C-alpha cells in the first residue's frame, strides 16, 4: 500500500472539507444579512402604507365631504324639505336623461296611448288567429295530399307487384311448357332412334342369317386351286359345340344391349323426375316469397296507419289543448300599472 499517497489524499480531503465549511459559513452569514435587510424593507413598506392611508383619510375628510358628492341627494337628511314635484309637463327641462324622472310609457296621454295599444294588440291577436287557422288549413291540405299520394303510391306498388307476379307466373308456365315439349321431343326422338336401331339390327341380322357366313355354304370356301383346298377365312368346318358357343355369346350380347337400353331409359326417367321436382320447388319458393312480400306490405301499411293516426292525434292535441288559451282583458291589464 502507498501510504504517502493515502496521506496526501486524506490531507487533500481535509483541505476540501475545510474550504467547503468556510464557504457554507460565508453563505449562512450572507443569508442572515439578507434576512435582516428584508425585515427592514418590510417594516419600511408597512410604515409607508400606513402614512399613505393616513394622508388619504385626511384628504377625504378635508376635501371630499359627503355634501360635495354627486350621490349625496340619495342620503341627504334634508331631502324631503328640498324635494320638488317630479315634473310639471312632458317637456319639463328638469326631466333629463340622467334625472331618471321620466320613462317610456309614463307620459300624460297614457290612457289614450293604452287604448290605442290595446286595439293594436287586439288586431294583432286576430291576425295571429287568422294566420293560425290558415296554417292549420294548409297543414290539413298537405296531410290529405300526402295521404292521397301515399295511397296512389301503394296502389301503383301493388299493381307493379301484381304485374311482376303475373309475368313470373307466365314465365314459369312457359318454362314448364317448354320443358314438357322438350321432354316429349326427346322421348319421341329416342323412340324413333330406338325403332331405327331395331330396324337396322333386324336388317343386319337378316342379312347375316341369309348370307354365306351364317348359312355355312360350303361352296364359298372352295379355293380356285382345287376343291380339296379351302379358303381359311371362308371355311365353316366348325363343330356343333363351337356353333352353340357362338350362339350363346350372341344371346349374351343381345341381353347386355337390352340391359344398357333399360338403364338409359331409367336415367332419362330419373332426369325427367328431377326436372319436375326442381320446377315444383321453384314454384313453392316463389309462393313463399310472395307470402313474405304480402306480409311485409301488410306490416308497412299498419306502420303507416299508426303514424298517420299519431300525427292526427298530435294535430288534434295542438288544436284543442296546446293552442286553446286565448289572451283575455286581464292579461293586457297587467302591463304599465306602476308609477315609474
Amino acid at each position: 500500500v502507498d501510504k504517502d499517497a493515502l496521506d496526501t489524499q486524506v490531507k487533500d480531503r481535509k483541505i476540501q472539507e475545510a474550504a467547503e465549511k468556510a464557504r457554507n459559513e460565508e453563505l449562512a452569514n450572507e443569508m442572515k444579512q439578507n434576512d435582516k435587510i428584508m425585515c427592514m424593507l418590510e417594516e419600511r413598506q408597512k410604515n409607508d402604507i400606513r402614512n399613505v392611508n393616513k394622508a388619504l383619510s385626511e384628504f377625504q375628510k378635508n376635501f371630499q365631504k359627503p355634501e360635495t358628492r354627486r350621490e349625496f341627494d340619495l342620503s341627504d337628511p334634508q331631502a324631503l324639505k328640498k324635494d320638488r314635484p317630479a315634473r310639471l309637463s312632458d317637456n319639463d327641462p328638469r326631466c333629463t336623461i340622467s334625472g331618471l324622472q321620466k320613462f317610456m310609457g309614463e307620459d300624460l296621454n297614457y290612457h289614450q296611448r293604452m287604448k290605442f295599444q290595446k286595439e293594436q294588440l287586439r288586431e294583432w291577436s286576430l291576425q295571429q288567429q287568422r294566420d293560425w287557422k290558415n296554417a292549420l288549413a294548409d297543414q290539413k291540405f298537405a296531410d290529405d295530399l300526402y295521404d292521397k299520394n301515399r295511397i296512389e303510391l301503394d296502389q301503383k306498388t301493388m299493381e307493379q307487384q301484381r304485374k311482376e307476379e303475373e309475368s313470373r307466373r307466365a314465365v314459369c308456365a312457359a318454362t314448364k311448357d317448354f320443358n314438357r315439349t322438350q321432354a316429349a321431343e326427346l322421348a319421341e326422338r329416342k323412340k324413333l332412334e330406338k325403332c331405327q336401331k331395331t330396324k337396322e339390327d333386324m336388317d343386319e341380322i337378316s342379312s347375316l342369317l341369309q348370307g354365306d357366313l351364317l348359312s355355312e355354304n360350303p361352296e364359298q370356301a372352295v379355293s380356285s386351286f382345287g376343291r380339296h383346298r379351302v379358303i381359311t377365312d371362308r371355311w365353316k368346318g366348325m363343330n356343333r359345340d363351337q356353333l352353340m358357343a357362338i350362339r350363346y355369346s350372341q344371346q349374351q350380347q343381345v341381353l347386355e344391349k337390352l340391359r344398357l337400353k333399360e338403364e338409359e331409359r331409367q336415367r332419362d326417367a330419373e332426369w325427367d323426375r328431377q326436372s319436375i321436382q326442381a320446377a315444383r320447388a321453384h314454384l313453392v319458393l316463389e309462393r313463399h316469397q310472395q307470402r313474405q312480400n304480402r306480409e311485409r306490405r301488410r306490416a308497412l301499411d299498419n306502420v303507416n296507419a299508426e303514424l298517420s293516426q299519431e300525427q292526427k292525434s298530435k294535430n288534434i292535441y295542438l288544436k284543442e289543448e296546446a293552442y286553446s288559451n286565448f289572451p283575455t282583458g286581464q292579461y293586457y291589464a297587467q302591463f304599465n300599472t306602476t308609477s315609474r
Side-chain angles (χ1 to χ4, degrees), residues 88-245:
L88 299 177
S89 64
D90 292 338
N91 298 323
D92 194 339
R94 292 179 300 162
C95 297
T96 59
I97 297 176
S98 61
L100 299 178
Q101 296 296 323
K102 178 183 176 183
F103 296 95
M104 294 296 295
E106 295 184 355
D107 49 345
L108 297 178
N109 58 348
Y110 169 76
H111 298 287
Q112 296 179 358
R113 184 171 50 79
M114 286 298 298
K115 182 178 180 181
F116 176 75
Q117 289 181 354
K118 288 181 181 180
E119 291 293 332
Q120 189 176 15
L121 289 175
R122 180 174 175 275
E123 292 295 330
W124 288 351
S125 178
L126 294 175
Q127 183 64 30
Q128 289 179 356
Q129 292 179 7
R130 288 192 295 269
D131 294 340
W132 174 247
K133 291 180 180 179
N134 294 331
L136 290 178
D138 294 339
Q139 182 67 27
K140 183 178 179 182
F141 177 74
D143 293 339
D144 295 339
L145 184 60
Y146 171 76
D147 294 337
K148 183 178 179 181
N149 292 332
R150 184 176 61 83
I151 293 172
E152 292 179 356
L153 182 60
D154 293 342
Q155 291 178 354
K156 291 181 180 178
T157 304
M158 293 177 64
E159 184 67 21
Q160 186 68 23
Q161 291 180 354
R162 186 181 63 78
K163 291 181 179 179
E164 291 179 356
E165 183 178 357
E166 290 178 355
S167 62
R168 284 198 298 268
R169 190 179 295 108
V171 169
C172 290
T175 303
K176 187 184 297 183
D177 295 337
F178 177 76
N179 292 332
R180 189 180 296 108
T181 305
Q182 290 292 105
E185 290 179 356
L186 180 61
E188 185 66 23
R189 187 169 57 254
K190 289 181 178 180
K191 183 177 179 181
L192 293 175
E193 290 177 356
K194 184 177 180 181
C195 293
Q196 185 66 26
K197 186 69 174 176
T198 304
K199 183 178 179 181
E200 291 177 356
D201 293 340
M202 293 300 295
D203 294 339
E204 184 180 359
I205 292 171
S206 176
S207 177
L208 291 174
L209 290 176
Q210 296 176 3
D212 294 336
L213 181 62
L214 296 180
S215 62
E216 298 183 359
N217 187 7
E219 297 296 332
Q220 66 175 346
V222 177
S223 177
S224 60
F225 295 101
R227 296 190 63 86
H228 60 283
R229 301 179 65 178
V230 296
I231 301 174
T232 55
D233 58 347
R234 300 178 182 178
W235 181 56
K236 299 298 181 179
M238 299 168 63
N239 55 21
R240 185 176 180 86
D241 295 334
Q242 291 176 346
L243 294 175
M244 292 297 295

Side-chain angles (χ1 to χ4, degrees), residues 12-23:
D12 294 339
R13 181 62 181 271
K14 288 181 178 179
I15 292 171
Q16 184 178 1
E17 289 179 355
E20 186 176 357
K21 183 177 180 182
R23 186 168 60 253

Side-chain angles (χ1 to χ4, degrees), residues 312-323:
K312 290 180 180 179
S313 301
K314 184 177 179 181
N315 292 332
I316 293 173
Y317 172 77
L318 292 175
K319 181 178 179 181
E320 296 181 358
E321 297 293 336
Y323 304 107

